[in-house]
Amino acid sequence: MQRTERFDSADRIIAVGFWVNAVLMVFKLAAGYWGRSDAVFADGIESACDFVAIFTAMVALKLSRQPFDANHPYGHGRAENLAALLVSLVIFATGCWILVNSVHAIINRDFQSPGVIALVAAFLTIIIKEWLYRFSRKTGERLASPSLLAIAKDHRKDAITSISTLVGVGGAFFGWRFMDPLAAGLTSFFILHIGYQTFRESVHDLMDGSAPRDFITEITRMAEEVDRVEHVHDIRARRSGQYMIVDLKLEMDPDMKLKESHDVATEVKRVIFEKFPGVGDVMIHINPHDEKHDDLIRL
């Protein structure tokens, strides 16, 4: 998949989520107000907060799709990692807000009797948001897009929230009015967990955390299978947005001519690019095989 195709695909998924979320937000706010349900109205406010997350992801994709330049020699992919970090904070803040509101409602015994429209709004939100989660996650995993995967988790967070809203509103509708804030409070812990996971993953990438072990193992195996490569001396990889940047040290015959070693290194890079469309660049350093050499590094 070409670079433009990758980002166009991500843009389409984000746009669908943006407009569907807009319709849901208006519907939930109206249903919460006219259906006398604080839980559904709060769900609508939560959808409004999601606009911050989705809009941030849209801006990040616009920035990250720009190719490398003189000021950003490694590209602009980190914009997606920053967007994922912001989305995680929005998710976490939403969980805290729901938890605080539910505790206040229980302490103050501020219970209401919701209408049928509130039940309908909660049910439809579960179906639509779960579909958006699966829809976004599928493309996000295929593209390895941090911002798209973060938005997918945000959709899953909404679906979970709406399950508690449905249970709470349903209980309140049939007379157990305390269930509305109680269910919301319990669900807030699931939301906080999702926010924590998204935060941890985005920080890992921003701090140049190592790539998955199976990825490193496969890259090593492929490089060592290229003719005239004696051994992979060292390998590192880090994520920048949708792409992985790989650093390789190859051991070769010390008597090999410069042109020959260059051709071998080019073949290693070509093989990696063919197998892993998510690799953005491969930096290769060549060392003489079976000769002692020191790695000069200050990190």
Side-chain angles (χ1 to χ4, degrees), residues 7 10-11 14 57-65 80 147 242:
F7 287 102
D11 283 340
I14 292 288
M58 293 174 73
V59 172
L61 282 170
K62 185 176 180 64
L63 290 173
S64 62
R65 73 185 298 153
E80 285 203 57
S147 62
Q242 297 183 21

Side-chain angles (χ1 to χ4, degrees), residues 61 64 76-78 121 142 197 201 227 236 266 275 285:
L61 282 170
S64 62
H76 300 77
R78 287 292 173 84
R142 179 166 57 88
Q197 282 185 318
E201 291 169 3
D227 189 36
R236 293 183 294 179
T266 301
K275 176 68 181 294
H285 176 80

